[in-house]
Amino acid sequence: MSNGPHMSAKDALGLYDLLEREGIKIWIDGGWAVDAALCEQTRDHADLDIALETRFLSRLRDVMAECGFEQIPRDDTRPWNFVLGNGDGLEIDVHTFAFDQNGNGVYGPPENGDYYWADALTGEGVIDGRPVRCISPEWLVKWHTGYELKETDVHDVTALCERFGIELPDEYRDDRAVPRG
């Protein structure tokens, strides 16, 4: 086991339930969303990716600060995407959006054209026997394209495509799907 961050199913559910109790509606994103959609943990996770409306951001920061979480400086930090961590090695990768008139979540400045599309926010999954909201499998696959693939990407996308009958994206069909390393 590495000395880096680690997010167990118990930790992920604890954070999910905490935020739910505080009235902060979140969707599980990233690797835990893949496993939630699959209804089983298929690999270890370093963090918990969450998506939430920007209107909950101040409350999220307050609640997490009360639990010992603070922002971790990173080169890719943006007001709408940042990482919170605590001294116990737990990290939350936060993605915020604002709903537009069509029910799509605008992720970042509107001129960037990045969205949590409405149907991406319809996913339902299970972590350790507990139902959770998560990103839908189709969008988890779509969002795992367009960059250099890692071993976890190949694992996650292959599992989602097999389980849900989603067509495997082209970049996962050839030697590009072999992680470099």
Side-chain angles (χ1 to χ4, degrees), residues 46 61 88 181:
R61 285 186 180 278
D88 295 328

Side-chain angles (χ1 to χ4, degrees), residues 120-140:
L121 300 173
T122 61
E124 297 177 352
V126 174
I127 297 176
D128 202 23
R130 164 85 160 73
V132 296
R133 274 182 307 282
C134 63
I135 303 303
S136 66
E138 296 79 12
W139 282 99
L140 288 168

Side-chain angles (χ1 to χ4, degrees), residues 43-158:
R43 64 176 178 85
D44 289 334
H45 300 277
D47 63 2
L48 177 66
D49 291 73
I50 63 171
L52 71 150
E53 288 181 77
T54 305
R55 68 186 175 109
F56 293 119
L57 186 53
S58 178
R59 182 75 182 126
L60 172 84
R61 285 186 180 278
D62 290 346
V63 168
M64 298 317 301
E66 291 171 15
C67 296
F69 283 77
E70 56 187 39
Q71 190 161 321
I72 296 173
R74 292 174 30 146
D75 291 341
D76 61 350
T77 294
R78 305 288 180 269
W80 60 91
N81 179 220
F82 55 89
V83 174
L84 299 173
N86 71 4
D88 295 328
L90 297 181
E91 292 186 0
I92 305 169
D93 191 350
V94 179
H95 307 261
T96 67
F97 61 84
F99 280 118
D100 67 11
Q101 67 278 9
N102 299 315
N104 297 311
V106 180
Y107 178 61
E111 59 271 15
N112 288 0
D114 294 328
Y115 291 89
Y116 274 91
W117 298 103
D119 57 340
L121 300 173
T122 61
E124 297 177 352
V126 174
I127 297 176
D128 202 23
R130 164 85 160 73
V132 296
R133 274 182 307 282
C134 63
I135 303 303
S136 66
E138 296 79 12
W139 282 99
L140 288 168
V141 170
K142 288 177 186 178
W143 288 337
H144 274 83
T145 60
Y147 57 87
E148 187 172 338
L149 304 178
K150 296 182 284 195
E151 195 172 315
T152 54
D153 298 318
V154 174
H155 171 273
D156 291 352
V157 168
T158 301

